Structure formats: structure tokens, C-alpha cells
Amino acid sequence: MGVTMRAPSKRSGEKEEQEEEVAAAAGRLAGAPEAEECSDVDSDSDREMEGIRGPGGLVKDTLYLRSCQAHSVVPASCFLRQGSTPELNLRHHGLGPQGARALASALTSNPYVKRLDLRDNGLCGAGVEALAGALSKSSTICDVDLSENQMGVVGAQAICAALAVNPTMQKVQLAGNGLEEHAAQYLAELLLAHTGLKSLDLSYNQLTDHAGEILGPALAENTGLTELNISWNHLRGPGAVAFARGLEANIFLRVLDISYNGFGDPGASAVGEALKTNNVLEELNMSNNRISAVGALSLGLGLRVNQTLRILIAYRKIPAPLSGVSHCRG
């Protein structure tokens, strides 16, 4: 019982010490001109902080605090507490474009972060542009989540260009960013240029049939992607068919989610044809795509030939009946 009661007190003390360190560091930065006259005091403080975080952590924190001061933003305590852990989770922190600029400056000197989670921070195109420079130079970050940041076509262009020259990146999440057909060209260029990218999430965007016509050929030529989520978009008609033809030629993709797109019977038929040739895909989700019995039959013909697909999700959501209303068949 005694041990259990002492633990929270210890954690509370550690938190207070961390907050005092951040406040002290911020105070020294705010008084930078005077610091030149009191170099001995600052040197002692720096040595104390080196003992806690190590010289690399001190440099990282100092750069970040200075960058926050320069951009007039409040530092994110999560970043300062990160230490040498491989994951930096700043989702839902409301960083905004200015916060992204401050963070970008510090990321370039951070050798620890491997996974960066910035979901739902209102970064917009400007913030993503600022981060793109840091991500293009990072040799450690291999997993980044920029979902729900309203990046638009400006952000898509910047991030795709940055990732295309960074062979370290393996997983990218860009869900819910309002990406439309104008962003499809940059996404296609990323698929063609990056052979190390393994997982890409483009769900909950606004990619239309024209986007499907652009992404299909890029998917056919891609030589690395093993997992793609493009659910909850608007791939329909010719776009759905073109995308399916890309799947037919792809020899790397193992998991594909195209649910909630409206592929319809033409798209389902094209997927069925792709499955006759594709001998790599293992999981396919194409539920809620407005597929009738005709499209399902075409899909089934492809399944009869395919030898690798292990999981197929192709159900259609049926609305629940209204209360007090009976449904009769006849």
C-alpha cells in the first residue's frame, strides 16, 4: 500500500521539475542579450541540463524554444518531454501553420523521432509546406501522419515533392485533407518516384473519377507500395475502371481498401478482370460500392481464377427500416 501511494507523488515531482526546466530554458532564451554578459551562469545551467537530457536533447530543445519565440507560438510540452523516444505524438494540439514552422526548425536537428503524428492540427497548406522541408532532409522519420489538416493541393504538392526525395519514408497518412483531382497528379508522381514507400492512406478525401484515371497508371508502375487505403472518395465510372486496370498490372500491393467509392458494376467488372491476372493481392475491401448482382457476378468470375486473395469484404449496407413500417416482398 505504501509503495502505491508514493508513486504518484514521485511522478508529480518529476513533472514539476520538467516544467521548471522548460520555464528556465524559455527564460534564458527570452533574455538572450543579457546571457552574453553572464556566460558562466548559463554554462553551468547548460551543463545541468546536459546531465538530464544529454547534449543532443539540449540542442534540440534550445532550437525549438528559440524557433517558437521567433514565430510567436507557445511551445508544445510534448516535444520538450520527448527525450530519445522514437514517437512524437502531437495530434489535436492546434499547432496551426506557425506552430508547424517552429516545429520544422527543431525536427531537422532531432535524431530520435521515427514516427511523427500531427493529425488534426490545422496545419493547412502553409504549415505542411514548412514541414515538407524538414521531412525531405530527415534520415530517421519513416512514419508520418498528416491526416485532417486541410492541406489541400498546396500541401499535397509540397509533401509529395519532399517525400519523393526521402528514401527513408515508409508509411504516410494523408486522410481527410480535402484532396481533389488537382492533387492526384502529385500523388501519382509520388507513387512513381518512391520505391521505399510501403503504406499510403488517402481515405476520406475528394478524389474523383478523373483522379482515378491519373492514379491508375501510376499504381500500375509503382514498385514498392504494399498497402493502400483510398476508401471514402469518389472513384466512379471511367476513373474506377482505370484504377482497377492499374491494380491488374501491379505486382507489389497486398492490401487494398477501395470501399465507399461508388465503383458500380463497371468498376466491379474491371476489378474482377484484374483479379484474374493479379497474383499478389491478399486483402481487398470494396464494400458499399453500388454493385448489383451483375457486377457481383463479374467479380466472382475473377475470384474463381485468383489464387492469392485471402480476404474479400464486399457487403452492401442496407438502411434500417423505419419504425412502424413493415417491408414485404412480392
Side-chain angles (χ1 to χ4, degrees):
M1 180 66 71
V3 174
T4 304
M5 293 179 66
R6 283 198 298 270
S9 176
K10 183 178 179 181
R11 287 196 298 269
S12 177
E14 291 176 350
K15 182 177 180 180
E16 291 177 359
E17 289 177 6
Q18 290 171 347
E19 292 176 349
E20 288 174 1
E21 291 167 15
V22 173
R28 286 198 303 278
L29 292 175
E34 290 78 3
E36 295 178 0
E37 300 176 2
C38 306
S39 57
D40 292 340
V41 176
D42 284 347
S43 296
D44 291 340
S45 299
D46 287 347
R47 280 194 291 271
E48 290 175 3
M49 292 184 72
E50 285 179 12
I52 298 172
R53 294 194 185 96
L58 175 63
V59 171
K60 170 180 72 71
D61 292 353
T62 301
L63 287 174
Y64 178 57
L65 289 168
R66 285 178 176 168
S67 186
C68 287
Q69 186 180 33
H71 292 93
S72 301
V73 296
V74 178
S77 58
C78 289
F79 183 85
L80 297 170
R81 293 197 301 267
Q82 182 223 353
S84 58
T85 56
E87 179 174 358
L88 178 58
N89 188 336
L90 293 174
R91 60 167 57 190
H92 314 309
H93 270 65
L95 296 179
Q98 286 294 87
R101 293 186 179 100
L103 180 62
S105 300
L107 283 175
T108 56
S109 61
N110 190 320
Y112 307 114
V113 177
K114 293 183 178 180
R115 184 176 191 278
L116 178 63
D117 189 343
L118 295 176
R119 178 183 289 261
D120 183 30
N121 269 285
L123 302 182
C124 301
V128 173
E129 276 187 307
L131 285 167
L135 292 175
S136 67
K137 301 172 184 176
S138 175
S139 60
T140 57
I141 299 176
C142 58
D143 182 345
V144 61
D145 188 347
L146 295 173
S147 301
E148 302 173 27
N149 274 294
Q150 303 89 45
M151 68 168 60
V153 65
V154 173
Q157 180 180 11
I159 198 64
C160 288
L163 298 179
V165 297
N166 184 347
T168 306
M169 198 64 62
Q170 296 182 9
K171 183 176 181 179
V172 178
Q173 293 173 261
L174 303 176
N177 271 296
L179 303 182
E180 301 177 341
E181 61 183 54
H182 298 294
Q185 184 60 50
Y186 304 116
L187 294 170
E189 291 171 2
L190 175 62
L191 290 176
L192 291 172
H194 204 310
T195 58
L197 187 63
K198 302 301 181 185
S199 177
L200 179 61
D201 185 354
L202 298 174
S203 61
Y204 291 93
N205 280 295
Q206 299 172 23
L207 298 171
T208 62
D209 53 348
H210 182 57
E213 294 175 346
I214 296 173
L215 292 173
L219 181 63
E221 298 296 327
N222 178 264
T223 56
L225 201 67
T226 59
E227 183 174 352
L228 175 61
N229 185 349
I230 198 166
S231 62
W232 290 94
N233 276 278
H234 307 289
L235 302 184
R236 301 169 183 169
V241 173
F243 186 86
R245 287 174 179 166
L247 174 63
E248 181 176 353
N250 185 280
I251 58 173
F252 287 88
L253 200 64
R254 297 183 182 278
V255 180
L256 175 62
D257 189 344
I258 53 176
S259 60
Y260 290 91
N261 266 287
F263 263 54
D265 291 340
S269 179
V271 171
E273 289 298 315
L275 290 177
K276 293 179 181 179
T277 304
N278 186 293
N279 60 356
V280 178
L281 195 67
E282 297 177 0
E283 299 182 23
L284 173 62
N285 186 347
M286 57 184 306
S287 58
N288 291 289
N289 264 295
R290 304 178 183 176
I291 301 172
S292 71
V294 175
L297 179 59
S298 299
L299 182 62
L301 293 175
L303 291 172
R304 291 180 61 183
V305 178
N306 185 275
Q307 298 294 317
T308 60
L309 196 68
R310 297 184 297 104
I311 299 175
L312 172 64
I313 305 174
Y315 67 85
R316 181 178 64 178
K317 185 177 181 179
I318 302 176
L322 297 176
S323 177
V325 178
S326 60
H327 291 261
C328 300
R329 179 181 298 176

